[in-house]
Amino acid sequence: EAGVAQSPRYKIIEKRQSVAFWCNPISGHATLYWYQQILGQGPKLLIQFQNNGVVDDSQLPKDRFSAERLKGVDSTLKIQPAKLEDSAVYLCASSRRVDSRTDTQYFGPGTRLTVL
Amino acid sequence: KQEVTQIPAALSVPEGENLVLNCSFTDSAIYNLQWFRQDPGKGLTSLLLIQSSQREQTSGRLNASLDKSSGRSTLYIAASQPGDSATYLCAVSGDSNYQLIWGAGTKLIIKP
């Protein structure tokens, strides 16, 4: 089966600009995650969707970040406006079942964002 | 608040050696613990998942152990190979919170 797809792979923008990332999870996977991974740190969950509903967005900076998962399939993550501290790799993952604690998460290759 | 620590941050060993990576967590009320591998420019790959009721899991040359009461897990890699070079991360999920809490990882280099 095809893996989790993400685009773009790399993005360089200036602070205060906007940027959007796209994720296509594995077909049939109910749960989709967006993580932010700053260099030298572990991933931090930004938002978790089950089908097209939000399960957890407690760590999403909602004043500048937004995410949607239309029709319970693809998802986009947007940053507007970007700050220097948003420079990171943005990882998308999906898992088959609704109870994500018992299920393997499959990760995409990530989008490396550099904010100048 | 759960915190996950991995020491050392980096490790370099000759090919063929057996090695142990460490992971510690502050809150023992975990649901499970997972070990992942991250290769440069690629996403993370799940290696092993240990439920809180289990003591260890094995997959090929990898063996992960869990001591929930002391807040520790180890990943044992037997007969290391250059292809094992990667960053290894552990992550725990809580009894009441589905969210994975991650360590910063150990960067492993296996020298030929």
Side-chain angles (χ1 to χ4, degrees), chain A residues 37 91, chain B residues 36-40 42-45 85-89:
Chain A
Q37 186 176 23
L91 296 164
Chain B
F36 291 82
R37 168 182 173 142
Q38 186 169 33
D39 293 279
K42 299 182 181 180
L44 292 99
T45 302
S85 297
T87 297
Y88 291 81
L89 296 96

Side-chain angles (χ1 to χ4, degrees), chain B:
Chain B
K1 179 185 172 185
Q2 179 74 272
E3 292 183 1
V4 179
T5 303
Q6 293 185 249
I7 296 173
L11 181 64
S12 180
V13 301
E15 179 179 5
E17 283 199 2
N18 302 324
L19 59 97
V20 173
L21 306 180
N22 298 297
C23 172
S24 61
F25 46 94
T26 55
D27 185 352
S28 62
I30 65 169
Y31 188 82
N32 60 37
L33 181 145
Q34 299 185 60
W35 283 93
F36 291 82
R37 168 182 173 142
Q38 186 169 33
D39 293 279
K42 299 182 181 180
L44 292 99
T45 302
S46 178
L47 298 173
L48 291 164
L49 184 152
I50 312 178
Q51 300 291 353
S52 61
S53 58
Q54 297 175 318
R55 296 284 296 185
E56 64 180 298
Q57 280 285 348
T58 298
S59 176
R61 294 183 294 109
L62 305 179
N63 176 277
S65 68
L66 174 64
D67 183 344
K68 203 171 83 161
S69 60
S70 68
R72 296 183 185 217
S73 176
T74 61
L75 179 66
Y76 175 83
I77 303 177
S80 59
Q81 304 170 357
D84 295 329
S85 297
T87 297
Y88 291 81
L89 296 96
C90 69
V92 299
S93 63
D95 273 341
S96 58
N97 187 336
Y98 285 34
Q99 185 181 133
L100 284 177
I101 307 299
W102 298 75
T106 295
K107 183 175 182 179
L108 177 64
I109 297 173
I110 307 298
K111 297 175 289 186

Side-chain angles (χ1 to χ4, degrees), chain A residues 45-47 57-63 65-67 77-78:
Chain A
L45 179 69
L46 293 176
I47 190 167
D57 63 357
S58 57
Q59 298 191 97
L60 186 74
K62 298 181 184 64
D63 58 334
F65 286 64
S66 64
L77 176 69
K78 298 179 181 177

Side-chain angles (χ1 to χ4, degrees), chain A residues 4-6 23-25 32-35 90-94 106-108 110:
Chain A
V4 176
Q6 290 188 248
C23 173
N24 185 11
L32 185 146
Y33 315 79
W34 282 102
Y35 290 92
Y90 290 84
L91 296 164
C92 180
S94 69
Y106 296 86
F107 285 80

